[in-house]
């Protein structure tokens, strides 16, 4: 789903302008009144937008606008291609934050550790800083575990209380925990590839309790979405990605995307597309003033 990243601000005022498209066709006659016909009932506007971005937000905006590579984990919301361990991977019946898909990881009846994992050959380099973003919600359990295994085979476990968002175990690697709504918690982890020969690997594990990883039975599950894994650059805000790891954004201005636009009655997400290139002016403290014209449909 192409949608404005939640980590970026809405357009600022002043600097916002709206011009409705002319939806009538007018035919003038030499004698008598002109004939005027409405050509469409759809509402479409041309909108002048302005944003104020920090330098980190500017990097995220450029990645989103141009569909740049942002994650080695592939699709940020569909994890069905990950390796399942004593678990089934399906699309969750309820949507995640911002109306995105989420993947449900459900335990099998085996007495085992239940979860999904993925290795990252693209990060098979020694001592590389890694940023991991992900959002997790309880579908039918109280805790989840996030396990990072580096190139030497050394693991770091982070256990998340899905009711409160509290983190235990290796809490020092968790630099942010935020509520995303609908029971989802978003975490940022700052990690390292370590030194060794293996591909680093991320595992998402369904827990029976904060301390019980291996168990049997049936029915416990977690929903996961908004996964991003990348080598740390220092400009690492979450941007949703497709199966190729590229941002699901504006495709250089050629794609329609849902953006927060004020069309009367406050800001709401409407389908928009950029009209021509955007422009930017740098300011004090590496702050960026960005302007662009977009067109909307079905607003």
């Amino acid at each position: 789903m192409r949608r404005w990243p939640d980590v970026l601000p809405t357009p600022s005022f002043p600097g916002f302008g709206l011009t409705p498209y002319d939806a009538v066709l007018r035919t003038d006659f030499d004698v008598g009144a002109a004939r005027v016909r409405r050509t469409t009932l759809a509402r479409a506007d041309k909108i002048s937008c302005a944003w104020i971005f920090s330098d980190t937000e500017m990097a995220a905006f450029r990645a989103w606008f141009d569909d740049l590579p942002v994650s080695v984990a592939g699709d940020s919301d569909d994890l069905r291609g990950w390796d399942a361990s004593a678990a089934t991977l399906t699309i969750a019946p309820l949507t995640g934050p911002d109306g995105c898909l989420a993947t449900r990881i459900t335990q099998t009846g085996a007495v085992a550790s239940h979860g999904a994992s993925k290795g990252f050959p693209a990060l098979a380099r020694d001592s590389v800083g890694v940023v991991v973003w992900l959002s997790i919600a309880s579908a039918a359990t109280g805790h989840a575990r996030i396990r990072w295994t580096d190139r030497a085979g050394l693991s770091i476990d982070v256990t998340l209380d899905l009711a409160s968002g509290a983190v235990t175990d290796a809490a020092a690697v968790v630099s942010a925990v935020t509520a995303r709504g609908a029971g989802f918690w978003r975490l940022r982890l700052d990690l390292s590839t370590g030194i060794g020969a293996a591909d680093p690997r991320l595992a998402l594990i369904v827990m029976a309790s904060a301390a019980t990883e291996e168990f049997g039975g049936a029915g416990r599950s977690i929903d996961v979405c908004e996964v991003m894994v990348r080598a740390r650059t220092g400009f690492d805000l979450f941007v949703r990605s497709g199966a190729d790891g590229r941002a699901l954004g504006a495709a250089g201005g050629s794609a329609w995307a849902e953006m927060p636009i004020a069309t009367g009655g406050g800001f709401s997400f409407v389908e928009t597309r950029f009209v021509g290139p955007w422009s930017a002016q740098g300011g004090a403290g590496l702050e960026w003033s960005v302007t662009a014209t977009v067109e909307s449909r079905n607003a």
Side-chain angles (χ1 to χ4, degrees), residues 35-269:
R35 183 183 180 187
V36 179
R37 301 178 299 283
R38 187 170 187 173
T39 58
T40 179
L41 294 177
R43 190 167 73 177
D45 302 312
K46 184 171 285 187
I47 302 158
S48 300
C49 296
W51 299 272
I52 302 297
F53 293 144
S54 68
D55 202 37
T56 300
E57 290 169 340
M58 184 64 171
F61 169 73
R62 299 202 70 173
W64 177 84
F65 181 86
D66 286 318
D67 285 11
L68 297 181
V70 293
S71 176
V72 299
D75 196 305
S76 54
D77 304 314
D78 187 351
L79 279 56
R80 289 176 295 175
W82 287 37
D83 300 324
S85 175
T88 59
L89 309 181
T90 58
I91 294 299
L94 301 177
T95 58
D98 293 339
C100 72
L101 294 176
T103 301
R104 178 157 294 180
I105 305 174
T106 304
Q107 69 166 107
T108 64
V111 178
S113 175
H114 309 272
S117 66
K118 186 178 181 70
F120 304 108
L123 295 177
R125 293 170 286 144
D126 288 344
S127 303
V128 174
V130 177
V131 173
V132 173
W133 287 97
L134 71 161
S135 295
I136 306 180
S138 171
T141 195
H143 294 81
R145 178 163 288 166
I146 303 144
R147 174 169 294 150
W148 177 257
T149 305
D150 68 13
R151 301 198 71 207
L154 301 176
S155 294
I156 294 176
D157 288 349
V158 173
T159 302
L160 175 67
D161 185 320
L162 295 170
S164 67
V167 171
T168 56
D169 299 325
V173 303
V174 180
S175 57
V177 180
T178 55
R180 287 287 284 135
F184 280 86
W185 297 97
R186 174 185 279 171
L187 289 77
R188 171 178 166 149
L189 286 69
D190 287 277
L191 303 156
S192 172
T193 60
I195 300 174
D199 295 339
R201 178 168 287 267
L202 178 67
L204 308 174
I205 300 167
V206 182
M207 302 288 286
S209 68
T212 307
E213 179 178 325
E214 295 191 9
F215 60 96
R220 295 182 185 273
S221 57
I222 56 175
D223 290 343
V224 183
C225 60
E226 298 185 328
V227 177
M228 186 174 87
V229 181
R230 59 185 284 156
R232 187 185 303 117
T233 66
F235 306 94
D236 302 300
L237 296 179
F238 172 76
V239 178
R240 183 165 277 108
S241 59
D244 58 0
R246 290 181 173 271
L248 284 174
S254 65
W256 292 94
E258 292 185 348
M259 294 176 60
I261 298 295
T263 59
F267 281 96
S268 60
F269 279 87

